[in-house]
């Protein structure tokens, strides 16, 4: 189980923006859309963790892993991957610790994405 | 070409699906449909004219590979190209999907530039394959016309010769019989032409596939 590494930036803004090929409005919409989806991602994973539903955990974590990878958010992606592995292995031993780390990391990521949007708006 | 083409994006993740749809529509002007499950995907494929599918391998319910298998029972990879999307770690799934008839795959996070290039390339391949099919049909028709032309010319030449003989001798029974047989032969060939041209395009393709001239009995 890995702890949150707060020294690592929660996402790679440069690579994320370059993928949009200059369509900054679309990048901004992607951030807004992701921020809307975050509570759902967390509640899906939380539900699977609480009920110890391995398959649901695997799928929910996989889905989140795919979403955060669009932002090149490596710390979040790693934690989502760990939860996906827990789901696959059906070994729930450390699930709560990883889940809490993920929630913290998603908060950090959401804040950073919000900042990126504000920065763009200010510019 | 892109603005006329319709892409179906299949992904259970609303965020991933919406992102891809926006890129495809705004950047390239594709018409898009969205499906969040295998059932929805199959419904859309049944009811709409879809030119290409972008489908996530891992979805709840039916996996992408199961949906792929169901689609391939009705559409071959030329008729309906399917590009699978997946996380990098799913190497086994990628190989499995390619074996089941996926045309290509994209790894997540999706590089949109690469995604658009691959979509365009597979649409182009499908377009050229359809054009090649039409060329084969044209070649088959040409072959048939050549055959019938030859088949008509022979009795016609006999008929002309018989007619010339009859002009000289109206009681030439042999020439009269030849003329009569030739005209009937031409009539038979015209019947065959009518029958052949009434056939479907698939049957023309059959002629083309065999690469043979059409034989008349």
């Amino acid at each position: 189980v890995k702890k949150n590494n707060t020294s690592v930036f929660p996402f790679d803004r440069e690579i994320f923006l370059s993928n949009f090929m200059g369509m900054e409005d679309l990048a901004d919409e992607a951030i807004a859309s992701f921020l809307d989806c975050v509570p759902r991602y967390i509640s899906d994973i939380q539900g699977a963790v609480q009920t110890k539903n391995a398959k649901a955990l695997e799928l929910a974590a996989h889905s989140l892993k795919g979403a955060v990878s669009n932002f090149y958010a490596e710390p979040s992606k790693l934690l989502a991957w760990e939860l996906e592995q827990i789901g696959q292995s059906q070994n729930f031993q450390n699930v709560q610790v990883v889940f809490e780390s993920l929630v913290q990391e998603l908060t950090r990521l959401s804040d950073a994405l919000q900042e990126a949007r504000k920065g763009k708006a200010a510019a | 070409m892109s603005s006329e083409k319709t892409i179906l994006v299949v992904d259970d993740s609303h965020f991933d699906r919406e992102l891809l749809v926006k890129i495809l529509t705004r950047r390239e002007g594709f018409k898009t449909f969205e499906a969040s499950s295998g059932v929805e995907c199959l419904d859309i494929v049944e009811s709409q004219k879809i030119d290409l599918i972008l489908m996530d391998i891992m979805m709840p319910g039916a996996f992408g590979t199961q949906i792929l298998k169901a689609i391939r029972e009705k559409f071959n990879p030329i008729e309906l190209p399917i590009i699978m999307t997946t996380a990098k770690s799913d190497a086994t799934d990628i190989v499995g999907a390619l074996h089941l008839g996926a045309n290509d795959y994209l790894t997540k996070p999706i590089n949109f530039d690469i995604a658009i290039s691959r979509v365009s390339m597979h649409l182009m391949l499908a377009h050229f394959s359809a054009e090649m099919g039409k060329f084969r049909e044209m070649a088959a028709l040409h072959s048939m016309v050549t055959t019938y032309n030859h088949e008509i010319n022979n009795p016609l030449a006999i008929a002309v010769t018989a007619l010339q003989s009859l002009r000289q001798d109206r009681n030439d029974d042999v020439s009269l019989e030849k003329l009569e047989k030739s005209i009937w032969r031409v009539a038979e060939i015209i019947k065959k032409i009518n029958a052949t041209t009434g056939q479907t395009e698939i049957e023309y393709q059959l002629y083309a596939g065999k690469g043979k001239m059409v034989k008349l009995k």
Side-chain angles (χ1 to χ4, degrees):
Chain A
V1 178
K2 294 184 176 52
K3 297 268 173 76
N4 284 4
N5 185 352
T6 49
S7 65
V8 177
F9 206 67
F11 81 107
D12 193 323
R13 186 172 186 265
E14 207 172 309
I15 301 179
F16 164 69
L17 287 175
S18 70
N19 197 21
F20 283 85
M21 302 164 289
M23 296 184 290
E24 285 190 22
D25 55 332
L26 199 50
D28 192 55
E29 282 179 39
I31 293 175
S33 173
F34 174 74
L35 292 173
D36 284 345
C37 292
V38 169
R40 177 73 189 272
Y41 283 124
I42 293 174
S43 70
D44 283 352
I45 292 173
Q46 191 173 28
V49 168
Q50 282 170 351
T51 57
K52 293 200 171 172
N53 185 333
K55 195 67 201 170
L57 177 61
E58 185 190 349
L59 287 167
H62 180 84
S63 189
L64 175 66
K65 186 181 79 177
V68 295
S69 71
N70 287 300
F71 300 95
Y72 298 85
E74 289 306 313
S76 299
K77 187 181 165 185
L78 185 63
L79 290 162
W81 176 81
E82 283 190 32
L83 285 173
E84 188 184 1
Q85 295 302 306
I86 289 172
Q88 262 180 22
S89 66
Q90 302 181 17
N91 178 359
F92 282 78
Q93 204 178 343
N94 293 314
V95 73
Q96 197 57 42
V97 182
V98 182
F99 173 66
E100 283 166 15
S101 299
L102 176 72
V103 173
Q104 281 177 33
E105 188 53 43
L106 284 176
T107 307
R108 214 164 70 90
L109 174 62
S110 299
D111 291 345
L113 290 171
Q114 294 276 24
E115 280 301 313
R117 289 190 80 194
K118 277 182 200 165
K120 187 189 166 260
Chain B
M1 179 165 63
S2 62
S3 58
E4 303 158 8
K5 299 292 179 185
T6 305
I7 316 281
L8 170 60
V9 179
V10 190
D11 200 316
D12 63 300
S13 162
H14 171 75
F15 173 71
D16 285 359
R17 202 172 62 238
E18 195 181 65
L19 194 55
L20 208 45
V21 162
K22 281 182 179 172
I23 290 283
L24 291 168
T25 50
R26 290 203 207 164
R27 167 82 194 264
E28 293 299 310
F30 288 117
K31 187 181 170 190
T32 52
F33 282 98
E34 294 179 48
S36 62
S37 68
V39 176
E40 263 184 48
C41 168
L42 294 173
D43 281 349
I44 293 171
V45 168
E46 285 287 326
S47 60
Q48 305 292 334
K49 164 83 179 76
I50 302 296
D51 295 300
L52 185 141
I53 297 176
L54 273 163
M55 180 160 54
D56 188 25
I57 288 185
M58 193 169 172
M59 288 188 290
F63 275 153
T65 43
Q66 288 172 282
I67 307 159
L68 167 68
K69 205 174 169 183
I71 295 171
R72 281 290 169 258
E73 283 171 12
K74 291 183 179 175
F75 300 96
N76 69 39
I78 298 296
E79 291 167 330
L80 183 49
I82 301 176
I83 300 175
M84 306 303 284
T85 59
T86 181
K88 271 180 185 170
S89 55
D90 299 333
T92 316
D93 291 338
I94 292 169
V95 174
L98 291 171
H99 277 299
L100 285 172
N103 296 61
D104 207 343
Y105 71 94
L106 287 165
T107 51
K108 289 181 178 181
I110 292 174
N111 178 306
F112 300 133
D113 218 3
I114 292 174
I116 287 166
S117 300
R118 288 201 177 156
V119 164
S120 301
M121 182 194 74
H122 285 290
L123 286 173
M124 202 188 296
L125 282 175
H127 173 74
F128 284 142
S129 296
E131 288 296 303
M132 287 299 288
K134 284 181 196 165
F135 281 133
R136 281 197 296 273
E137 280 179 31
M138 289 299 290
L141 279 170
H142 180 265
S143 160
M144 286 165 65
V145 168
T146 307
T147 304
Y148 287 132
N149 183 40
H150 179 73
E151 289 291 318
I152 288 171
N153 269 338
N154 279 347
L156 208 58
I158 294 168
V160 169
T161 308
L163 201 62
Q164 281 168 347
S165 296
L166 282 168
R167 274 180 181 272
Q168 288 167 6
D169 179 5
R170 285 176 183 253
N171 296 319
D172 182 353
D173 290 342
V174 176
S175 292
L176 189 65
E177 196 184 333
K178 278 184 181 175
L179 178 63
E180 197 177 4
K181 276 186 179 174
S182 299
I183 289 168
W184 277 114
R185 179 63 186 143
V186 170
E188 275 174 28
I189 294 164
I190 287 168
K191 255 191 204 173
K192 281 181 191 291
I193 290 172
N194 284 337
T196 309
T197 51
Q199 287 175 350
T200 65
E201 286 182 11
I202 294 163
E203 282 162 321
Y204 289 130
Q205 282 176 337
L206 196 69
Y207 289 123
K210 287 179 178 170
K212 286 177 184 172
M213 298 279 277
V214 180
K215 283 185 180 174
L216 295 173
K217 286 181 182 174

